[in-house]
Amino acid sequence: MAGDERRVERCRPTPVLMAMAGVLAISVGLFLLTVYVPAVPPWVNWLPSMASCLMLARASWRTAKVCGRDRVARRLWRDLTVVPLLVMLGVVGDLRRAVVDPTFDGVTHDIPTAVLYGLSILSLIWMLVRLPTAQRREINHTARFALDAATVGITTGIFAWYAITHAFGSVEAAGPNVVPMVVLAALGLCGSLAFVKVSMIGMGGLDRVITRLLALAAAVGAAGGGLTPLIFDLRPGLSSSHVTISATMLVAAFAADRQRRIAGVPPEVRPRRRSSLVPYVAVAATDGLLLFVGTAAGGIFLVVAIAAVLLTALVALRQVHALLENDRLLRRVDAGQAQLAHRANHDHLTDLANRTLFEQRTREALAGSDRRAMSLALIDLDDFKAINDRLGHAVGDALLVVVAARLRECVRGDDLVARLGGDEFGLLLDGLRGTEATEVLDRITEALRRPVHALGYDLLVSASVGLAEGWADAEPQELLRRADLAMYAAKERGKGRHAVYDAELEKHQAADAELGAALRTALDNDEFTLVYQPIVRLPDGHWTGMETLVRWHRPDRGFVGPDTFIPIAERTGLIVPLGDWILRTALRQAAEWDRTYGAAAPREIGINVSARQLREPGFAGDVKEALAETGFDPERVVVEVTETAVFDGGVALDTLQNLVGLGVKVALDDFGTGHSSLGLLRTCPADTLKVDKSFVDGIGGRSEEAVIATAMIQITNGLHLQAVAEGVETAEQAETLYRLGYRFAQGYHFSRPLSPQQVASHLDGATVAA
């Protein structure tokens, strides 16, 4: 995983390491004492070796137990317990022979002892050969190792044979006991080679430091027997193994100690080497020995030796050339595979992680030791669809690339930024929660506020962000769901905001889901009705228009207020089909009044339209279709929208322009309570301002409301707009508004919302009176 750190505990003196180091010191001391004090029998030197073997066996068994779920390492150390026990049995055989046979030279083992030593080395080699390879391409590892081991074994055997027979003076002087010595030396170096191969190839995910320590241990053990001929002259019965066995066991104990320290730490991943130089070194060494012996022999033997060396050199050079070519081809294949793997896990446009990798990394983070120490955020760009619709997908893609770059700048190097699809992004903040996580979201919000230059356009972009924090038993899908819920809560609070998941959001979601389902059923069962509140002329109160209002009476629970179900319809998207029903029903009713009452019918019909409806790409077309179906005059239709719905421009403002093109009028509803801006009056194609009830309530006297109401009527007069005062409840308010310059109003003082039948009754009375 990118950003992981291998926090490995530092090596410290432990009782086991200190005890084994002490045994090695005793081995060295006894060896030197035996050299210089003839009274000390050589067999005493075998005792420390036995102790060190027992301690390593115990340390290996304990290490296998702490490997936990690492099956490969657990099996390795469990099998490794057998090796020092076999070596110890071999030491017991040498000790027995040294005690009963004073002429024992410490090197020429008897057959049973040599078998025990050989079994220890073969066990070591077999243990390594059956380890799983780190890469599938290494399917021929066992065969290659066998060939390399044979090469090294033959080379070692030749050198050992030459060194030992030279030390004894002749092959006859060495006798048959030289054979086990040669075999053990060759097997020892093969065991060392096995560990070297493992450390280079990276088999089984083993730690490289451990494999190198074990390779060093095998090499020290193999060198023990090879150095013995050099000390024959010091004292009969001495063996370099008296020291090297304890040294071997100590080095292996360091490897076991490291295995315990890295328990639970992910293995370090490094590229493996594809070829080994060991066989070539072996061949070169053998060629050197051949030339050395040939030079001493002279004559035709020297000529043959030189020819053999030249031939092997040419073959080696040809093989090296072939290996280099193979390496180049493999590097190209690796690069191609790496590129394919990158494409499979990354977004082709932004080069961010894709949804697959994001979900995978989320699962990995939650599988860690502390699921609570992380946060996940979902980011959705506001009104991105409008940019695609207005400027084209090329501009939208360019915008996404810039946004991706800014998101990267706002997070740490080991945090994951992903594009989940379309204009939705994800953040995985491992190790961050609370204020630290929200600070990241603040940086993102600030970064996105800067204008984005995309293909010649300077665009303003904002994003709604939802954040969910991990918990003790967190699961990936639930974490994503919570972040998604928080993101939609942020959208409801306005653009360019972020929200953090909490239990209250869950309650709201449950209530929204229940009421949303009921809304869907209500639409299907025709449970909604429309009422109409008159807009009157001041001061005489003559009806000039109607504002359409929706009502819902649930058969099981009775009346549900619009302030309850309209926000939920907005959040669930049901406002779109509900709004379409309101539009068509209101236009049919207005057309019917026209047919029945003619000039006495209300002049205009006002229909509330939500921000969600304005963002629908086909809304203007739906209005045109409804007008065609009913035959109602578009110039008598007033679309009422809030300031917030059109404050940021974009597709909502474009939709209003399209409606104006149809002849429909626009009224800014509840003016003064939202994103009030005089600039909005210049950009929004409004014909009417509806002054909010909050400015009408305290309009009497020298109140602040009166000052604001006066300012608004002056603005509307100056911009040639019509002003309608909402929420008029008393005659005094009506008189004051008329005195300030208002000529249109609505409110309970004039009429409560009326059913179509009540409107018809009023119109019938007005017709009779006329």
Side-chain angles (χ1 to χ4, degrees), residues 597 600 761-770:
Y597 301 104
S761 297
H762 176 85
L763 294 176
D764 286 337
T767 302
V768 172

Side-chain angles (χ1 to χ4, degrees), residues 4-134:
D4 283 340
E5 295 182 2
R6 287 172 52 83
R7 299 180 179 88
V8 181
E9 183 183 353
R10 294 180 60 186
C11 181
R12 293 183 175 87
T14 64
V16 173
L17 293 178
M18 293 177 67
M20 296 188 71
V23 170
L24 177 59
I26 292 173
S27 299
V28 175
L30 280 176
F31 185 87
L32 295 175
L33 186 64
T34 306
V35 171
Y36 296 107
V37 180
V40 179
W43 61 264
V44 176
N45 288 274
W46 294 107
L47 297 176
S49 300
M50 294 171 58
S52 63
C53 289
L54 281 173
M55 286 190 283
L56 178 62
R58 183 171 182 274
S60 299
W61 185 255
R62 291 179 59 194
T63 302
K65 291 183 177 181
V66 302
C67 289
R69 298 181 179 179
D70 191 343
R71 182 180 57 83
V72 174
R74 186 171 66 250
R75 186 177 68 180
L76 171 70
W77 288 101
R78 187 179 62 239
D79 294 350
L80 197 59
T81 305
V82 178
V83 176
L85 292 178
L86 289 171
V87 173
M88 186 194 70
L89 293 176
V91 171
V92 171
D94 282 335
L95 174 63
R96 181 196 62 79
R97 186 175 176 189
V99 171
V100 301
D101 184 6
T103 63
F104 175 53
D105 55 21
V107 178
T108 54
H109 312 290
D110 57 22
I111 298 300
T113 302
V115 168
L116 287 170
Y117 284 134
L119 285 175
S120 68
I121 298 173
L122 289 174
S123 299
L124 184 69
I125 295 172
W126 172 247
M127 175 187 67
L128 294 176
V129 167
R130 71 192 189 111
L131 284 174
T133 55

Side-chain angles (χ1 to χ4, degrees), residues 692-704:
D692 189 70
K693 179 179 183 299
S694 60
F695 301 114
V696 175
D697 287 341
I699 202 170
R702 302 174 63 85
S703 64
E704 294 178 356

Side-chain angles (χ1 to χ4, degrees), residues 144-176:
R144 288 179 58 183
F145 171 74
L147 292 173
D148 288 351
T151 303
V152 173
I154 293 172
T155 303
T156 305
I158 292 173
F159 273 84
W161 186 284
Y162 181 81
I164 294 172
T165 55
H166 182 73
F168 279 96
S170 66
V171 174
E172 292 76 9

